[in-house]
Amino acid sequence: MTSPEPHHPHHPSGHGHGHGHSHSHGPAAPVSKHLRKVIAAVLIPFSAAVVVGLVVLWPGGAPPHQRTGVGFDRQTQQAKVVKVDKVDCKSVNAGQTPSNGDTSTAEGQEARRSQQGLCGKATVEVTSGKEKGRTFTEIVQPDSPRQLHQGQGVIVAYAPDAPHDLQYSVTDVNRRVPMALLAGIFALAVVVVGRLRGVMALVALVVSFAVLTLFILPAILQGSNPLLVAVVGASAIMLLALYMCHGLSARTSVAVLGTLASLILIGLLGSVFIGWAALTGNTDENTGLIHGLYPNIDMSGLLLAGVIIGSLGVLDDVTVTQTSAVWELHEANPTMGPRGLYRAGIRIGRDHIASVVNTLVLAYAGAALPLLLLFSIAQSSVGTVANSELVAEEVVRTLVGSIGLVASVPLTTALAALVVSADRPVSGFLPAPRPKPVRSGGGHRRKK
């Protein structure tokens, strides 16, 4: 998996040797042919196994199913709000105050509020599909979090079995323009700052999404083991992304090996603790819908697959950084042994661990903020909150990923230190002797 390192001409005077170690911003210093063979002996069989896994598990596409009309499993079309009129809510709302006059219940209070104030009567035109041009009316309550306005693009759900006047309903806002603009700004920023590396990073991102959408998701829906699919897919993403972004070199190969070892640890820990904690992976309406449509999918295996894939991106960052740090330390001081390289590299890694682990925890906490808020409203204890399956899933996901992340630092640092210090440079790459300091004043001082 490693390409031959660039060859520099031999300079008998020794200046060429010093030049070979002076470009810290360029490619890594050449490693010996023996080390390239050792690394290739590990990575070539691994890469071949990944390719075989892709071929064997490659899906023929997601299996078809009869739409349920629930949640995301609905037929949708594009539409546009033509006009919005303000009308008295009493004249358009079907909800009535209970016949017994009881408004103490939540249902009764909601029914009473639905008849107060001015509602929005929106005329919506379908702009895609077979019934393009058809219009329907959507009533928007005055306290609704989403208000419609004229000219707004929306997404509408289509229910063919419903009565004609109720077949279409607004489900969401069309956000394609702001999302596309934000993606464009992101791509521009990456290219401007990262230049060629930035371009390759964007290409690797596209490849990663392609593996996810063309292989991982359809293969899981087809009924393949989610853990096996995640391992093969994550390995493919890792190999493609790292080598595309950082080139075919011994340095990148060491980062790949460090990432692979950490992923194995995450898979083992995740499998043990997901089974021990009896996490089913079926905790909300979306996972329930998936289980209902495809009952053969192993939902706990799907949870573990998510842990592995979710940890991969951060692992890549840590292993590449640690490998580069060790390589640069060796470039700065070629006489430093493996123990010295490890100690210096691990000091860098400790700072990285502290920041990245905090990032992981806050990212998961931010995603689960509405759920945590509900527990806070209910005044539940920390033990009760952590014991619920919804929160326990996130706790296991965060801690297993963080353990793998922490372990990747010493693993990758030790591997990089061993590889770069065990290297025996070929003739013409011996480090230049350090010049002796010149004393000012001329001549030698005699000892008194």
Side-chain angles (χ1 to χ4, degrees):
M1 293 300 299
T2 56
S3 62
E5 305 288 349
H7 178 69
H8 299 271
H10 173 64
H11 295 271
S13 62
H15 298 292
H17 311 324
H19 177 74
H21 291 275
S22 63
H23 295 282
S24 61
H25 60 276
V31 296
S32 64
K33 186 176 181 180
H34 173 69
L35 274 182
R36 290 203 300 270
K37 287 182 177 180
V38 172
I39 294 173
V42 176
L43 288 177
I44 288 178
F46 169 64
S47 302
V50 172
V51 172
V52 171
L54 288 171
V55 172
V56 172
L57 297 173
W58 193 267
H65 71 277
Q66 187 68 32
R67 288 189 180 272
T68 62
V70 178
F72 290 103
D73 193 39
R74 294 181 287 187
Q75 297 183 42
T76 58
Q77 299 293 346
Q78 305 291 321
K80 181 178 68 173
V81 179
V82 178
K83 66 176 181 177
V84 179
D85 298 319
K86 293 296 183 180
V87 297
D88 189 354
C89 289
K90 289 183 179 179
S91 64
V92 293
N93 281 330
Q96 300 294 330
T97 303
S99 57
N100 59 6
D102 183 13
T103 58
S104 61
T105 63
E107 293 80 3
Q109 292 175 5
E110 183 178 357
R112 184 176 63 179
R113 283 196 302 269
S114 68
Q115 296 194 17
Q116 297 176 350
L118 294 177
C119 290
K121 185 178 181 181
T123 302
V124 183
E125 179 183 352
V126 180
T127 58
S128 66
K130 296 180 180 179
E131 295 189 309
K132 181 180 179 180
R134 177 177 168 178
T135 60
F136 66 95
T137 301
E138 182 83 8
I139 303 300
V140 183
Q141 303 296 330
D143 59 348
S144 173
R146 183 189 298 120
Q147 298 292 321
L148 301 179
H149 58 265
Q150 186 173 345
Q152 184 178 25
V154 293
I155 306 296
V156 296
Y158 174 60
D161 297 333
H164 186 270
D165 293 340
L166 303 176
Q167 287 182 333
Y168 284 97
S169 61
V170 176
T171 61
D172 210 342
V173 174
N174 191 331
R175 303 182 180 88
R176 290 186 177 182
V177 173
M179 298 294 283
L181 178 61
L182 183 59
I185 294 173
F186 163 72
L188 180 62
V190 170
V191 172
V192 168
V193 177
R195 300 186 180 180
L196 182 59
R197 287 289 180 91
V199 173
M200 295 308 298
L202 292 176
V203 174
L205 182 62
V206 172
V207 171
S208 298
F209 271 105
V211 173
L212 182 65
T213 56
L214 298 179
F215 171 70
I216 295 177
L217 298 179
I220 291 174
L221 289 177
Q222 190 173 270
S224 299
N225 186 293
L227 176 57
L228 185 59
V229 171
V231 169
V232 173
S235 299
I237 291 173
M238 174 184 66
L239 289 170
L240 292 170
L242 286 179
Y243 282 116
M244 287 178 67
C245 292
H246 305 285
L248 288 167
S249 66
R251 179 189 294 191
T252 308
S253 299
V254 170
V256 168
L257 292 175
T259 305
L260 176 61
S262 302
L263 282 178
I264 292 173
L265 177 62
I266 289 173
L268 292 174
L269 284 175
S271 180
V272 169
F273 282 95
I274 287 175
W276 194 2
L279 299 178
T280 63
N282 189 2
T283 53
D284 56 27
E285 60 180 10
N286 293 324
T287 54
L289 179 60
I290 293 172
H291 185 64
L293 294 174
Y294 300 96
N296 294 328
I297 292 180
D298 179 7
M299 298 304 293
S300 60
L302 186 62
L303 173 61
L304 180 56
V307 172
I308 292 173
I309 295 172
S311 303
L312 178 60
V314 186
L315 275 176
D316 286 353
D317 174 39
V318 172
T319 55
V320 168
T321 300
Q322 287 305 114
T323 305
S324 296
V326 172
W327 239 265
E328 294 302 327
L329 287 168
H330 179 68
E331 289 282 322
N333 185 4
T335 61
M336 190 181 293
R339 183 172 296 181
L341 286 171
Y342 177 79
R343 287 176 177 174
I346 205 69
R347 285 195 294 269
I348 299 172
R350 289 192 186 107
D351 291 335
H352 207 176
I353 286 173
S355 60
V356 175
V357 167
N358 195 42
T359 300
L360 274 180
V361 173
L362 291 179
Y364 284 124
L369 202 58
L371 177 64
L372 297 177
L373 187 60
L374 285 176
F375 282 110
S376 179
I377 292 171
Q379 297 182 348
S380 302
S381 65
V382 175
T384 302
V385 171
N387 190 65
S388 66
E389 185 169 1
L390 270 173
V391 177
E393 277 190 7
E394 298 303 324
V395 171
V396 170
R397 193 195 311 269
T398 303
L399 295 183
V400 167
S402 297
I403 292 171
L405 183 64
V406 171
S408 71
V409 172
L411 281 172
T412 308
T413 305
L415 184 60
L418 289 172
V419 168
V420 76
S421 61
D423 183 30
R424 295 293 180 266
V426 295
S427 176
F429 291 103
L430 293 175
R434 294 185 177 184
K436 295 182 179 179
V438 179
R439 296 179 178 178
S440 59
H444 298 280
R445 295 180 180 178
R446 294 182 179 180
K447 293 182 180 180
K448 295 182 180 180

